[in-house]
Amino acid sequence: MQDAITSVINSSDVQGLYLDDGSMSKLQSYFRSGQLRVRAAATISANASAIVRDAVAKALLYSDITRPGGNMYTTRRYAACIRDMDYYLRYSTYAMLAGDTSILDERVLNGLRETYNSLGVPIGATVQAIQAMKQVTASLVGADAGKEMGVYFDYICSGLGG
Ligand code: CYC
């Protein structure tokens, strides 16, 4: 896993250079947004189950997906879906704190599309649910932090191929 600091330092290190102005300003903007990131992460942790619940209600409940034959039908699959949504929220929060997407590649997206395809989990509906979670989160943490979280929710959606 990388973060905004290690990724800037690593790219200077491979060239054997001190940080240039562009690298310095990347670091500065990351440090300036530190309070925003930590405050957003605290709000999200304190409200995680409500965020997942509201996103599921907005995007998935009482649709074909929750009726017999749908991929969320039976409580076992319903529970797997809620758990997946919680993973997406938690890992997006980690990535937002780090200011870097690498943790999402390594721990969430690696093999996920193939797993979903082989189990028949619908990717379009998953993407809609993640987009709903992006809206719910933004309404809770405010526009600036919401936009930052949006980067990582969107990254998961495009990694899923949605
Ligand atoms: C299943 N979701 C799974 C499985 C994995 C993940 C590996 C198969 C194994 C299992 O059932 O636990 C996802 N596991 C992860 C991720 C990580 C991990 C991301 C990284 C931390 O370790 N079905 C829908 C909804 C959607 C959904 C649209 C919720 C948004 O219709 C999810 N995922 C869903 C369902 C299953 C599943 C229903 C069970 C499918 C089945 O067994 O038939």
Side-chain angles (χ1 to χ4, degrees):
M1 176 204 153
Q2 287 208 340
D3 54 49
I5 304 169
T6 51
S7 83
V8 163
I9 291 176
N10 284 339
S11 80
S12 298
D13 186 34
V14 293
Q15 303 169 75
L17 295 173
Y18 285 90
L19 301 190
D20 59 18
D21 288 350
S23 305
M24 288 297 187
S25 75
K26 272 188 202 154
L27 284 184
Q28 254 165 3
S29 83
Y30 179 63
F31 290 133
R32 261 199 307 270
S33 63
Q35 282 286 355
L36 178 94
R37 289 172 202 272
V38 171
R39 240 185 278 124
T43 306
I44 292 166
S45 319
N47 295 281
S49 54
I51 295 172
V52 171
R53 184 195 60 214
D54 290 356
V56 169
K58 251 177 185 265
L60 300 170
L61 282 191
Y62 316 120
S63 64
D64 284 348
I65 224 164
T66 54
R67 284 194 271 273
N71 192 262
M72 277 176 81
Y73 186 68
T74 77
T75 46
R76 181 189 67 79
R77 283 199 290 264
Y78 190 103
C81 182
I82 302 281
R83 180 211 57 196
D84 286 7
M85 292 288 283
D86 193 56
Y87 286 153
Y88 300 141
L89 180 62
R90 183 162 57 86
Y91 278 99
S92 298
T93 307
Y94 292 158
M96 178 276 297
L97 279 170
D100 190 278
T101 53
S102 62
I103 194 169
L104 300 178
D105 289 323
E106 290 162 19
R107 303 199 200 162
V108 179
L109 292 169
N110 186 11
L112 184 61
R113 186 180 165 78
E114 293 75 10
T115 304
Y116 271 16
N117 284 336
S118 65
L119 290 171
V121 175
I123 294 202
T126 304
V127 166
Q128 278 172 27
I130 295 171
Q131 291 299 318
M133 195 147 69
K134 175 167 117 178
Q135 285 174 14
V136 171
T137 304
S139 69
L140 198 71
V141 297
D144 288 347
K147 198 168 156 213
E148 192 55 34
M149 278 297 288
V151 170
Y152 304 100
F153 287 131
D154 287 344
Y155 190 84
I156 294 175
C157 292
S158 49
L160 271 168

